[in-house]
Amino acid sequence: MSDPQVTSRTAGTLGGRKQIALLVLCAQLFLDSMDVSLMGVALPELKDDLGLSAEELQWIISGYAVAYGGFLLLGGRAADLFGRRRMFFWGTAVFAVASLAGGFVSDGTLLIVSRVIKGVAAAFIAPAALSIIMTTFKEGPERNRAVGIFSLTGASGYAAGLVLSGVLTELNWRLTFFVPFVIAALVLAAVRYAVSPDPVRDGERPGFDAFGAVTATGGVLLLVFALTRAPEVGWGSAATVLSLVASVALLVAFVIIQNRRAEPLVQLSIFRSRTLSTANVVGLTWACATIGWQFVALLYLQQVLDYSALGAGAAIVPMAAAILVTVNVTPRVINRFGLRVPAVAGLLLQGLGILLFLRADESSEYVTVLLPALILHGIGNGLSFPSFNVAGVSGVADEQQGLATSLIQSALQLGGGLGVAVAAAVLATGGEGGLASYHRAFLAVGLFSLAGALAAALGLGPARTPEPDGAADAPDAADAADGPKGAAGATDARTDARKGTTDGSDPAVLEREGA
């Protein structure tokens, strides 16, 4: 709910600090992405050094995902209510402390606790970071470029983690905790200089929906927990069934509470935008395909082709390189053609890259069989990821940017959990190590990409009509004069949404169907 008492601009940056702010925000995303790939390669060393069980190893990874996915809505709303820079700063501080603590502990339970705390911190950092970008850079080509760079750093962090993980683990697995601590500390030191202060609010602060926060967080936590645990304990087990039932009950209660609250945690009217709703569906299917495929592919490389953990990580690097190249040009594709074309094309290419793994066997040549599939998959990722991220947050008033970004991030975390759960279940049905079971798993996760392409084609609006040269970069006069929109700019945001075909903003994103 917008606060008419806001007397300062929306948190952002001042003058020449824009690019420095983007660098700092991207550094944290780089760290988050690198942290994921660092841990994956370190798991065997952790198991041998600390004597961890298979379940403890799983929760070192999934504990982070459960906490991240479960607290994102709360993190997004907290950014809107209590300040984006404030949430980014303190979230990064907690992330740094948890990383440092994880590097010193020698107990599996404490290691898992440190990962869960990092996941909670990331859930407050991510929506704050992206909403600062959205309120700092003018909607249209400028913002698309910023989001493209933001996406690029995510891919770069993942690739860097794959490259560094083997080296750091070879020296000492504890470095996979200490290196993220150093990067987080550097980000923390730069935040107060790079990002301008949060706006000063006069009068009473908007109410905080505590019951909505409890039901939403509890419902999503239980859902991600059930999806993560089901492949291990069984889909029909009491733990899985009870978790799913409780999750549904809490989420239904959440919807009822939101409809009755004057100041809800989530304004359900935000879903009246077909473009925003579609972007979340596309993000969920994208993550199902991407994370599910990574889970199956890394197992295939190590268990069928006998790659080492370091070799398997290195094998994925060309895909990461393809992502890096593609996300650099995707903002220009969005500016010229709108969101439908790159989103649909990207998801189709991603799906094709996954389905080409159906050609893989026990002795597949890397260059002739695996490499083409990896490159196609990477190009598809680079086209589709920025597209649905832009769609999910554009045309949204500044005071709801934290909510919009947290919805997209929640969709990605839930999609990742669902994709891994489906892939693991399909693998288990074919017997351990059976090539046919890998083929069925690749087919299952590839179908998620095709479903996402269909959703994008139907819901992201018409393709953009190319504009005369220079039109795409024409500045908006109001934004040039006033900088980032404050709370009083909600009307301007709606006006911008209607004139997207002439000011360089994307009309498919700014469409407000059903509003």
Side-chain angles (χ1 to χ4, degrees), residues 285-286 289 343-355 443-457:
T285 56
W286 180 93
V344 173
L347 285 159
L348 289 176
L349 286 172
Q350 174 182 278
L352 177 60
I354 293 173
L355 295 178
L443 176 62
V445 296
L447 291 176
F448 282 118
S449 280
L450 302 184
L454 178 61

Side-chain angles (χ1 to χ4, degrees), residues 87-130:
M87 290 297 102
F88 183 85
F89 179 87
W90 288 110
T92 302
V94 172
F95 190 98
V97 171
S99 291
L100 183 63
F104 282 113
V105 302
S106 295
D107 177 79
T109 300
L110 293 178
L111 203 62
I112 292 169
V113 169
S114 74
R115 293 285 294 170
V116 169
I117 293 174
K118 288 175 76 171
V120 174
F124 284 81
I125 294 168
L130 191 53

Side-chain angles (χ1 to χ4, degrees), residues 219-234:
V220 176
L221 277 173
L222 284 172
L223 178 59
V224 179
F225 175 83
L227 294 176
T228 304
R229 289 275 289 165
E232 180 181 348
V233 301

Side-chain angles (χ1 to χ4, degrees), residues 95-468:
F95 190 98
V97 171
S99 291
L100 183 63
F104 282 113
V105 302
S106 295
D107 177 79
T109 300
L110 293 178
L111 203 62
I112 292 169
V113 169
S114 74
R115 293 285 294 170
V116 169
I117 293 174
K118 288 175 76 171
V120 174
F124 284 81
I125 294 168
L130 191 53
S131 59
I132 289 172
I133 290 176
M134 292 300 160
T135 55
T136 297
F137 294 90
K138 183 171 72 70
E139 194 160 21
E142 181 181 275
R143 183 182 293 177
N144 292 344
R145 283 191 294 270
V147 173
I149 294 171
F150 197 65
S151 302
L152 174 65
T153 58
S156 301
Y158 184 79
L162 292 174
V163 174
L164 292 174
S165 56
V167 177
L168 296 179
T169 303
E170 184 71 20
L171 295 172
N172 192 310
W173 64 262
R174 295 183 186 277
L175 290 175
T176 61
F177 286 84
F178 291 144
V179 169
F181 162 74
V182 173
I183 298 175
L186 292 174
V187 170
L188 200 63
V191 169
R192 291 189 180 275
Y193 167 78
V195 181
S196 64
D198 292 314
V200 177
R201 292 179 182 269
D202 293 334
E204 185 177 354
R205 186 182 295 275
F208 186 76
D209 182 8
F211 288 110
V214 170
T215 52
T217 302
V220 176
L221 277 173
L222 284 172
L223 178 59
V224 179
F225 175 83
L227 294 176
T228 304
R229 289 275 289 165
E232 180 181 348
V233 301
W235 287 94
S237 68
T240 301
V241 172
L242 290 175
S243 295
L244 290 174
V245 170
S247 171
V248 171
L250 286 171
L251 292 175
V252 169
F254 169 72
V255 172
I256 294 173
I257 291 170
Q258 300 313 285
N259 280 323
R260 295 183 177 180
R261 287 276 300 183
E263 295 175 335
L265 180 68
V266 176
Q267 294 183 10
L268 298 180
S269 60
I270 198 172
F271 292 107
R272 292 175 184 170
S273 168
R274 187 181 69 185
T275 299
L276 181 145
S277 298
T278 301
N280 281 273
V281 173
V282 173
L284 186 141
T285 56
W286 180 93
C288 284
T290 299
I291 308 304
W293 172 84
Q294 289 176 358
F295 174 78
V296 179
L298 289 172
L299 285 178
Y300 165 75
L301 291 174
Q302 295 178 80
Q303 296 184 359
V304 178
L305 297 185
D306 293 325
Y307 282 39
S308 66
L310 181 58
I316 307 298
V317 170
M319 185 187 83
I323 295 173
L324 301 184
V325 172
T326 307
V327 295
N328 256 325
V329 302
T330 298
R332 280 174 277 177
V333 177
I334 293 173
N335 292 339
R336 181 170 179 82
F337 298 106
L339 292 171
R340 176 187 285 175
V341 170
V344 173
L347 285 159
L348 289 176
L349 286 172
Q350 174 182 278
L352 177 60
I354 293 173
L355 295 178
L356 282 177
F357 270 79
L358 296 176
R359 302 166 58 217
D361 56 28
E362 292 90 344
S363 58
S364 294
E365 291 289 334
Y366 181 78
V367 174
T368 58
V369 177
L370 304 183
L371 185 59
L374 290 167
I375 292 175
L376 281 175
H377 190 169
I379 294 172
N381 264 257
L383 277 173
S384 54
F385 184 77
S387 302
F388 68 75
N389 269 282
V390 171
V393 294
S394 296
V396 177
D398 282 356
E399 65 270 17
Q400 288 190 307
Q401 283 292 334
L403 170 60
T405 55
S406 64
L407 289 173
I408 281 287
Q409 293 293 327
S410 294
L412 291 174
Q413 293 301 316
L414 290 174
L418 178 60
V420 171
V422 169
V426 173
L427 279 175
T429 61
E432 186 175 354
L435 183 62
S437 65
Y438 282 99
H439 285 168
R440 285 192 290 270
F442 284 129
L443 176 62
V445 296
L447 291 176
F448 282 118
S449 280
L450 302 184
L454 178 61
L458 295 176
L460 288 187
R464 171 112 179 234
T465 301
E467 298 173 358

